Amino acid sequence: MTSSTNQSIKPVTTTINSAGNLQIGGCDLVELAQKYETPLYIIDETTLRTICREYKKAFSGYEKVNMMYASKAFMSKAIAKIIASEGFGFDAVSGGEIYTIHKSGADMSKVLFNGNNKSYDELTLALELKVGRFSVDNFFELSLLNEVAKSHNKKVDILLRITPGIECHTHEYIQTGHLDSKFGFDLSQVYEAIELIQEQYTNLNLRGFHAHIGSQIFETKIYEDEIEILIKEIALIKEKFGITFDEINIGGGLGVKYTEEEYPPSVFEIGKLIIKALNKNVKKYSIPAPTLYIEPGRSIICTSGVTLYSVGSSKQVPHGTKYWAVDGGMADNPRPSMYQAKYSAQVANKPNCENSQKVTIAGKFCESGDILIKDINLPELEEGDILCVFNTGAYNYAMASNYNRFQKPAAVLVNNSQSDIIIRRESLEDLISHDVIPNRLD
Ligand code: LLP
């Protein structure tokens, strides 16, 4: 089966240039580090567009597909613009994501608002910005959204978020489809929800189901199980209520390759399997083929992103670990400390040198747990080397913080030897710009 971009550790344009440095998108990484300073997030436009196109191709065998990008993986106005230009819609989970997508100029009818505790203000903003779908997570929200829609004199299209009861083998913090999850209606609550919509919540127009099993998934079978559960439920609803759902959203979750030891399935394998499962089950349960929504986040953006750091101090623990510290860490990439996530890296100015030593890359934040990569083989390091950590496109900038009052790094988009800032580096003034000293303290 053809391979796809999520199966590669590095952006597709990664090479070593004539200066002997790593290069991405035709740009020398050492020069980028000098020009924009470090830490620096880099997004390779070619890799991003390639995976979007692979997804579209992989699902082209199914007539009615809506590709949505899960904004939570990494959202900025430029990212939204690129992804929208590839024909994708968006899954958004906050007023902030919705506002960013709106400001990028994207078609808001292709946005799905999702989340387990959307506020009145967020629902109002979404309605006013004409978001196309709402995935309703619980009974409280059915009532709240109906109230907001009624006050705007609108009828809104909704999906019911359900918990299909599937366990996937990923980190427990990123599992979502199991029965004891905080997300969605239990299957046993679905009839009651439909009755409420039919009888009381007349400003809601129920179109179908939404589910999401988890993230960084490598097992393909769970998508087959998920589809069967959803289609079977649609058939039961048709029999009981005489209504036919015409949409299913199966969430995101496809994994990426962070290290050499990991083998995620390709987008093509997943596409083929999902289409086959859909066709098989609509036949088995005699329902019309629904429009399919999928909403990958990580597998769309992760491989296109790398982070550059400057190497600083080092410490050799007598008879123990050799630490090298870089100028970032858990505030720009909390994943290693939160999920024990593993990453691959290379020294951008020494890509041809032999990996002669085993070291641990530490961050500069005041926590012992701030270790970016434990036990990695790298060439001899020196202060000022530029370390390139791969696969940081997803859930890095998106989860970055100002811990220890560090400024969030800049993000740069590279393509065809051109580099452009897409997110400015925070300044010290930015950092204090929301601080207020009450007069009485003067
Ligand atoms: N749809 C829904 C409803 C979701 O909750 C998520 C992710 C996605 C789609 C996209 O999933 P993806 O294709 O990116 O796996 N911060 C964690 C990941 C949290 C994922 C949350 N939900 C991490 O860094 O691993």
Side-chain angles (χ1 to χ4, degrees), residues 70 72-73 91 114 161 174 176 183 210-212 214-216 251-254 258 295-299 335 339 394-395 399:
K72 61 191 75 98
D91 153 39
N114 172 38
R161 169 82 182 258
I174 53 180
T176 40
F183 294 106
H210 178 208
H212 170 77
S215 200
Q216 186 60 357
L254 176 60
Y258 286 103
E295 45 185 29
R298 186 191 316 265
S299 53
R335 301 193 68 260
Y339 316 117
Y395 304 113
M399 293 174 74

Side-chain angles (χ1 to χ4, degrees), residues 401-408 426-435:
S401 76
N402 291 113
Y403 186 45
N404 292 169
R405 283 243 148 175
F406 279 104
Q407 303 101 292
K408 283 189 199 154
E426 284 180 354
S427 65
L428 289 174
E429 282 309 312
D430 288 332
L431 267 185
I432 58 162
S433 63
H434 295 279
D435 288 11

Side-chain angles (χ1 to χ4, degrees), residues 217-263:
I217 293 175
F218 283 29
E219 301 156 83
T220 51
K221 168 117 185 13
I222 58 177
Y223 285 105
E224 293 176 53
D225 295 346
E226 180 191 12
I227 287 168
E228 172 141 24
I229 290 168
L230 294 178
I231 302 273
K232 187 173 167 197
E233 195 63 25
I234 291 177
L236 289 172
I237 287 165
K238 188 176 164 214
E239 205 179 290
K240 183 166 168 57
F241 294 93
I243 52 175
T244 309
F245 284 2
D246 56 1
E247 296 184 354
I248 64 167
N249 181 329
I250 60 168
L254 176 60
V256 303
K257 185 177 176 76
Y258 286 103
T259 63
E260 287 300 345
E261 296 75 45
E262 290 172 314
Y263 299 97

Side-chain angles (χ1 to χ4, degrees), residues 374-441:
K374 194 168 158 20
D375 292 340
I376 179 173
N377 291 319
L378 288 176
E380 285 301 317
L381 290 172
E382 293 155 275
E383 188 238 319
D385 281 340
I386 302 298
L387 188 76
C388 173
V389 178
F390 295 104
N391 252 303
T392 60
Y395 304 113
N396 270 229
Y397 179 79
M399 293 174 74
S401 76
N402 291 113
Y403 186 45
N404 292 169
R405 283 243 148 175
F406 279 104
Q407 303 101 292
K408 283 189 199 154
V412 164
L413 183 72
V414 293
N415 199 18
N416 292 329
S417 308
Q418 207 180 316
S419 64
D420 297 285
I421 293 259
I422 55 169
I423 301 176
R424 273 191 306 108
R425 183 177 301 283
E426 284 180 354
S427 65
L428 289 174
E429 282 309 312
D430 288 332
L431 267 185
I432 58 162
S433 63
H434 295 279
D435 288 11
V436 178
I437 301 180
N439 288 341
R440 67 186 171 80
L441 296 182

